Amino acid sequence: MSQQTQLFIVPTPIGNLEDITLRALRVFREVDYILAEDTRTTGNLLKHYEIEKKIFPHHQFNEHRAIENVVERMKTGAVFALVSDAGTPSISDPGFLLVRACIREGIRVECLPGPTAFVPALVNSGIANDHFIFEGFLPHKKGRNTRLTSLACEEKTMIFYESPHRLIKTLNQLAEYFGEDRYACVSRELTKVFEENIRGTLREIIDSFENKMVKGEIVIVVAGKK
Ligand code: SAM
């Protein structure tokens, strides 16, 4: 008999509430508890789908402490779903530590396929996607220059997450390290009403944002070195 899954990693929409799977909704209904990065955000999501479930906080500030307790509950048979605010947990979000702890304890883990921001950004970019690397957020201070220096020689397409207020600074640094003729794409507000994908050289993209207030969530995709 196959072992019962006790941790479901459940992706949630990155903007458009229609992007939830039927399976995700079933899992939410069937598990004993939901672990959420923000209990209010997840509470609103569940309310939208008319699901009532006990939600516990599981975020970067309590993750280390919470894991032991969650694993103990799993050992007595409890089944959990883990969600983040948006997208796939563990992708630039809490989740990895819990998954690793469960695997070490012999607890079965299943990650449902579903929304994540970097896949639509990569595909929308029109940049070669047969080989790519996911960089997530660049370090803000320590290690940033070292990372950019090592990426300057990268031949694979690169994917970065960025916040709107750092976008111009990051684009300028990418142009400085990779050259301003490097092709890239900035995807903003994916799956939402004002989704846009701005494609061109880093110089052209920087110019297109000049004197504009940048808002929303952003993924930067940059072509690798030729
Ligand atoms: N776990 C999420 C995933 O699977 O994509 C990522 C969480 S990370 C804390 C948040 C970052 O994801 C944002 O700063 C942005 O870079 C990216 N992101 C999330 N939603 C997005 C959207 N609708 N459009 C563009 N980027 C998005």
Side-chain angles (χ1 to χ4, degrees):
M1 208 173 71
S2 68
Q3 190 188 357
Q4 189 200 9
T5 299
Q6 286 186 277
L7 177 64
F8 289 94
I9 309 298
V10 184
T12 54
I14 57 166
N16 188 329
L17 286 181
E18 289 180 359
D19 293 335
I20 190 92
T21 67
L22 296 174
R23 186 171 169 218
L25 295 177
R26 180 175 58 75
V27 166
F28 287 149
R29 289 194 183 94
E30 289 180 0
V31 293
D32 297 310
Y33 307 106
I34 295 178
L35 301 169
E37 197 181 359
D38 182 325
T39 52
R40 209 156 52 163
T41 305
T42 301
N44 288 337
L45 182 81
L46 294 184
K47 203 166 154 192
H48 182 84
Y49 298 111
E50 298 177 352
I51 297 169
E52 275 185 44
K53 194 65 60 172
K54 178 88 183 142
I55 308 173
F56 292 114
H58 188 92
H59 45 66
Q60 59 171 326
F61 304 109
N62 78 345
E63 201 180 7
H64 285 89
R65 273 180 288 127
I67 283 172
E68 203 178 324
N69 190 268
V70 171
V71 168
E72 281 314 307
R73 280 173 185 250
M74 285 176 181
K75 284 183 181 165
T76 63
V79 178
F80 288 80
L82 174 71
V83 298
S84 56
D85 283 354
T88 301
S90 179
I91 300 296
S92 293
D93 264 338
F96 161 70
L97 294 177
L98 181 59
V99 170
R100 188 177 62 179
C102 288
I103 292 167
R104 283 180 178 163
E105 293 291 337
I107 292 165
R108 185 173 160 150
V109 179
E110 258 184 89
C111 177
L112 275 60
T116 188
F118 78 85
V119 173
L122 175 64
V123 176
N124 282 341
S125 74
I127 300 172
N129 62 20
D130 43 355
H131 300 284
F132 61 86
I133 57 165
F134 174 71
E135 281 292 314
F137 292 98
L138 280 167
H140 287 177
K141 291 196 178 89
K142 200 166 166 276
R144 188 172 172 99
N145 292 343
T146 317
R147 193 81 213 115
L148 285 165
T149 305
S150 80
L151 289 173
C153 299
E154 178 58 62
E155 293 180 359
K156 299 186 185 87
T157 298
M158 292 163 269
I159 305 169
F160 302 92
Y161 281 172
E162 196 44 284
S163 66
H165 68 277
R166 287 181 176 271
L167 177 68
I168 300 301
K169 177 187 168 186
T170 297
L171 288 174
N172 276 308
Q173 282 187 316
L174 293 174
E176 184 190 323
Y177 281 82
F178 301 173
E180 50 182 32
D181 289 338
R182 187 71 73 89
Y183 197 80
C185 177
V186 170
S187 290
R188 210 176 61 79
E189 297 288 78
L190 288 161
T191 78
K192 303 183 195 177
V193 178
F194 297 108
E195 167 170 339
E196 60 176 356
N197 296 281
I198 302 142
R199 306 173 182 91
T201 63
L202 285 166
R203 170 52 43 209
E204 287 165 346
I205 296 174
I206 293 165
D207 290 347
S208 76
F209 281 108
E210 206 160 51
N211 303 323
K212 278 193 201 154
M213 167 104 139
V214 186
K215 284 190 193 156
E217 299 198 273
I218 284 155
V219 183
I220 309 171
V221 179
V222 187
K225 190 178 177 187
K226 288 249 164 62

